[in-house]
Amino acid sequence: MALEVKRAQQGDREAFIRLLRRLESELYGLAKSIVRRDEDCADAIQETTLKAYKALSTLQKPQFFKTWLIRILINECNTLLRGRQRTVVMAELPETSAAADYYADSRKFDLREAVDQLEDTLRVAIHLFYFQDLSIKQIAAVLDITEGAVKARLHRARGILADRVTCAKEANIAYETL
């Protein structure tokens, strides 16, 4: 990847495009975990691409391209979140209200949904560690926090997720024994 980055830094637009295509699904997954709406993901990735292209010459260590790009994306997502109004559009609310659907859905437990319900700082740490396969050191660099803070966030998030899994299992067992 470092060779592609060097080519892109020398003005090879195709090399830059190849780099982004290689990381596209990871960038989308991270943006989706932060901003949650597809249109906001697209906006964040577009702005990230533009800023990265303009600032590519400032990247001093090509081996850190992915980490650098992820940091730009996180900053763009946070900018979008700050600018977004916290209103719920009626069209976004679920249409089904049948009791049977509610109980059927409540019995299902999806770990991805549980991760999405974590507070932002914990969700981003979990996503970077488990879904992006970044090391604790890389996460600390991306988020501009200490490695200890990353470990603390991961520990706290794992505890919350373990509690939710336990509660979901207990609720399912209690429901089935009725």
Side-chain angles (χ1 to χ4, degrees):
M1 185 183 290
L3 184 61
E4 287 285 329
V5 174
K6 287 180 183 178
R7 286 182 183 155
Q9 286 179 316
Q10 294 168 352
D12 185 349
R13 290 176 56 194
E14 294 299 318
F16 184 74
I17 291 169
R18 284 191 297 273
L19 285 166
L20 287 180
R21 289 230 169 105
R22 191 177 306 158
L23 298 171
E24 186 176 27
S25 64
E26 293 178 49
L27 294 175
Y28 176 80
L30 177 58
K32 183 75 172 175
S33 77
I34 298 171
V35 295
R36 297 190 175 149
R37 296 193 314 205
D38 287 332
E39 57 272 12
D40 288 341
C41 290
D43 289 344
I45 291 172
Q46 183 176 1
E47 283 298 315
T48 298
T49 302
L50 183 62
K51 286 185 178 182
Y53 186 74
K54 286 180 177 179
L56 191 57
S57 62
T58 65
L59 179 63
Q60 295 177 1
K61 296 182 180 178
Q63 66 268 26
F64 295 125
F65 176 78
K66 180 179 176 181
T67 306
W68 177 73
L69 193 62
I70 287 173
R71 185 170 188 152
I72 295 171
L73 178 64
I74 289 171
N75 289 336
E76 284 305 312
C77 289
N78 289 335
T79 299
L80 278 171
L81 288 176
R82 281 191 299 273
R84 181 196 293 170
Q85 292 181 342
R86 301 264 181 213
T87 58
V88 177
V89 179
M90 291 302 287
E92 293 178 5
L93 295 175
E95 293 179 21
T96 60
S97 61
D101 288 342
Y102 172 78
Y103 289 114
D105 288 342
S106 68
R107 292 181 58 204
K108 297 177 186 174
F109 182 78
D110 183 6
L111 187 57
R112 185 72 175 218
E113 288 177 20
V115 169
D116 286 345
Q117 292 172 0
L118 291 171
E119 65 180 71
D120 291 344
T121 57
L122 301 179
R123 185 176 65 247
V124 169
I126 288 288
H127 190 87
L128 291 173
F129 189 76
Y130 289 106
F131 300 124
Q132 300 294 326
D133 291 326
L134 294 183
S135 69
I136 289 174
K137 186 175 185 174
Q138 289 172 318
I139 295 170
V142 166
L143 298 178
D144 198 24
I145 59 176
T146 66
E147 290 181 33
V150 173
K151 290 176 184 178
R153 288 179 185 184
L154 290 172
H155 178 75
R156 185 165 167 229
R158 288 180 194 126
I160 292 169
L161 292 172
D163 289 344
R164 289 183 183 168
V165 168
T166 302
C167 289
K169 285 181 181 179
E170 289 173 359
N172 194 22
I173 292 169
Y175 181 77
E176 289 177 359
T177 58
L178 291 178

